Amino acid sequence: MTAQTRCEEDDMRFDGTSDYISTDDLTVAVNAAIALERPLLVKGEPGTGKTELARQVSSALGLRMIEWSIKSTTRAQQGLYEYDAVSRLRDSQLGDARVEDVANYIKRGKLWEAFDADERVVLLIDEIDKADIEFPNDLLQELDRMEFFVYETGETIRAKHRPIVIITSNNEKELPDAFLRRCFFHYIRFPDAETMAAIVNVHFPNLKPRLLETALTQFFEIRETPGLKKKPSTSEVLDWIKLLLVEDLEPEDLRRDGKDALPKLHGALLKNEQDVHLFERLAFMARSRAR
């Protein structure tokens, strides 16, 4: 890496984008992680824009994004590389000349791809808490030293340019302390009414103010309903408002009374039968009191 390249990378700064509302504390967290050259660990409710943050950082800084989506079966080794010994054995039985070079049977993982990139990239490790509890610890050295060893070929893969690493977690399980020490941490709080209005306006700039106010008032009332199993998220309120516009509903159409406590088009907001039954019970109780 040349001195000029290092200087250009040090000058990188995220200030949000026209398509993504970044709060002051989130902006500070992103830039602190870049300055410290540490992974940014982002936690928060599902649907609060954790994954989208990485995409927006990539867009704002003009960097390519490499995404590694973690599943319950994902192993840390897959992020480095995988050696296909079975295919090599099969090819040797068929007399294929490719077996002479073991590199033909090495499949590069997302970390290898990020380390080997000719330019700085954004590496998203998405939903790390879905994997086994040992998964984060298995990546400690690689993310810390920005290199790893390929035993089959005897080569060391070093990052040409240190990627901006963003790691998301839905808090499904606790992450190891050793891993947390190596990250810059930020928790995305659920947006308040003012921030939510700004987010909605980004996606629906022509939304009538009265409809916006009525919809968000009802949305936050629903979120704060005692006993709700799954609170609707930012992404779900955006889907809901999109449906309100498609159906050409007016603020008056959103009113709820004792006969119907369920919100209009509630399938966009309530995602399980327990919560639907909760609002049906609330409606029944309201009707009983009105008699």
Side-chain angles (χ1 to χ4, degrees):
M1 183 186 300
T2 66
Q4 180 180 357
T5 302
R6 164 65 73 177
C7 182
E8 289 173 354
E9 291 187 357
D10 288 345
D11 287 341
M12 287 185 173
R13 180 174 178 80
F14 175 70
D15 293 307
T17 71
S18 59
D19 297 324
Y20 186 87
I21 300 297
S22 178
T23 58
D24 291 342
D25 57 342
L26 178 56
T27 301
V28 168
V30 172
N31 290 316
I34 294 174
L36 293 172
E37 296 187 331
R38 290 188 178 275
L40 174 63
L41 174 61
V42 185
K43 291 187 178 183
E45 288 184 33
T48 49
K50 300 185 295 298
T51 302
E52 185 61 25
L53 170 65
R55 299 190 178 108
Q56 294 300 325
V57 169
S58 168
S59 174
L61 301 182
L63 304 178
R64 178 165 65 95
M65 190 179 89
I66 296 173
E67 183 172 351
W68 186 16
S69 297
I70 307 303
K71 301 178 181 178
S72 60
T73 56
T74 303
R75 294 177 293 106
Q77 180 65 32
Q78 292 172 308
L80 307 179
Y81 69 92
E82 292 182 277
Y83 169 51
D84 191 350
V86 174
S87 293
R88 192 182 188 198
L89 175 61
R90 181 194 62 216
D91 289 348
S92 67
Q93 293 170 341
L94 297 174
D96 193 323
R98 296 174 70 249
V99 300
E100 299 300 325
D101 186 357
V102 68
N104 290 325
Y105 302 91
I106 299 291
K107 179 182 178 182
R108 297 184 177 191
K110 297 296 184 180
L111 265 72
W112 189 331
E113 184 182 345
F115 288 3
D116 199 46
D118 290 327
E119 75 287 350
R120 197 175 198 186
V121 299
V122 173
L123 173 63
L124 169 64
I125 304 178
D126 201 23
E127 299 189 334
I128 194 171
D129 53 324
K130 281 188 175 180
D132 183 85
I133 189 62
E134 291 303 321
F135 179 94
N137 279 339
D138 291 342
L139 290 176
L140 283 180
Q141 180 171 310
E142 289 75 14
L143 290 176
D144 208 25
R145 299 176 59 183
M146 285 288 146
E147 66 178 40
F148 62 90
F149 186 71
V150 183
Y151 292 94
E152 289 77 7
T153 63
E155 62 182 322
T156 298
I157 306 300
R158 295 185 178 89
K160 296 178 181 178
H161 304 269
R162 179 177 285 270
I164 296 173
V165 182
I166 298 177
I167 303 171
T168 72
S169 169
N170 287 328
N171 254 346
E172 290 185 8
K173 62 170 67 81
E174 290 296 323
L175 299 175
D177 289 343
F179 179 79
L180 294 175
R181 284 196 299 271
R182 288 167 170 81
C183 297
F184 191 92
F185 173 75
H186 182 75
Y187 184 85
I188 297 183
R189 295 181 178 84
F190 195 83
D192 58 22
E194 182 179 352
T195 303
M196 184 64 78
I199 292 171
V200 172
N201 279 323
V202 165
H203 293 269
F204 306 103
N206 298 319
L207 188 65
K208 295 178 181 177
R210 283 188 61 240
L211 181 58
L212 172 63
E213 181 182 359
T214 303
L216 290 187
T217 297
Q218 188 168 130
F219 169 73
F220 279 102
E221 288 176 352
I222 293 168
R223 269 189 61 89
E224 293 165 8
T225 301
L228 200 64
K229 182 176 181 180
K230 182 192 177 303
K231 296 181 178 182
S233 67
T234 304
S235 60
E236 288 160 342
V237 73
L238 293 175
D239 287 344
W240 184 53
I241 290 177
K242 182 178 181 179
L243 288 175
L244 299 182
L245 293 174
V246 169
E247 296 295 326
D248 196 24
L249 298 181
E250 296 293 332
E252 293 74 20
D253 298 322
L254 302 185
R255 290 176 181 168
R256 294 182 295 157
D257 53 34
K259 295 181 180 179
D260 187 7
L262 283 168
K264 292 288 190 297
L265 302 167
H266 64 269
L269 298 174
L270 306 177
K271 296 304 177 75
N272 59 67
E273 63 275 15
Q274 294 97 316
D275 289 341
V276 172
H277 292 160
L278 170 63
F279 280 91
E280 289 174 343
R281 289 196 300 273
L282 292 174
F284 176 78
M285 293 168 60
R287 289 195 298 269
S288 298
R289 287 195 299 267
R291 289 173 182 169

